[in-house]
Amino acid sequence: MDQSRIYSVRMRASENELHKNGGRHISGGELLSSYSELGLSVNTLLEKALHHSRGKPDFLQIQCEMVNQPIKLLNPLTVQTNDVTAVKEGHELAKSLLEKTGVPKDIIKKAYKEIPEYPVRGAILIDIHTGKRVDGRIDKGVRVSKMDWQTRNFKKWAKSKAVSPNQRLKEALILATKVCNHQLTIAELCWSDDPDYITGYVASEKIGYQRITQLKQYGDDRGCRIFFVDTFSDIHTYINYLEEQPILVQWGEEHDTRVD
Ligand code: PML
Ligand code: MG
């Protein structure tokens, strides 16, 4: 990618009402693009919005913005796939993985109880000491932005790790890698809001990206994205990192560890 002029390209699509007024979320997308590839990049996100299992959008927005900050390079989290035979088993595993990352058991229990109350399109932030939601974004949540992974490097990584070069895995792993790179993130818990996708994950710097093959039933369009965070005074700096710090995931085969 020509590093001299990099653009953050973002897409969001919804139905029923204007997205900003709380219409039903259909799809979102993020990438970083050089100036010369901007047309191609916009088209990639347009295609994603137009062909989505959550439906056809009646509101669709694609925004391009030049990135002025230096781009931080991050090695992807290590990935492991855990096969489970039922959703219940998937959630038992997710809870025990969250505990391993350092999220207290009672906070996990509280978060799980409140998940149905969080039908937001972005991520919600939960304090691991109080179990309280701390993002203050009500129905929107926080949208992690300005991130990408170049296709060639991603494919090389996927081949070397013998994982299928699946676009969803790519997008989720980019996001989890960015989120978990911040020291205040203890863990992320996520499953898709797409009715045709039931694999989710728990991720953290400590345990890597742990895929769990069933975290909901097919046909269910309720998703979840929670970041468990350590108490801190300046939540704005943390949210600013999630929304504004540009990052590029780049796998370095020769030293397969995380680098900043
Ligand atoms: C999403 O589609 O919004 C999240 C997908 C999470 C799981 C991706 C994977 O590892 O297969
Ligand atoms: Mg989705």
Side-chain angles (χ1 to χ4, degrees), residues 186-202:
I186 304 305
E188 179 188 359
L189 168 66
C190 169
W191 61 88
S192 182
D193 56 359
D194 302 356
D196 59 348
Y197 204 77
I198 62 172
T199 296
Y201 65 90
V202 173

Side-chain angles (χ1 to χ4, degrees), residues 174-185:
I174 295 170
L175 185 146
T177 296
K178 176 171 180 182
V179 172
C180 294
N181 182 254
H182 198 289
Q183 56 176 8
L184 295 178
T185 305

Side-chain angles (χ1 to χ4, degrees), residues 79 166 168-173 190-194 197 199-201 209 211-212 225:
V79 173
N166 153 353
R168 277 174 203 274
L169 164 64
K170 180 185 171 194
E171 289 173 8
L173 183 53
C190 169
W191 61 88
S192 182
D193 56 359
D194 302 356
Y197 204 77
T199 296
Y201 65 90
Y209 181 95
R211 306 177 78 209
I212 301 171
R225 181 158 264 142

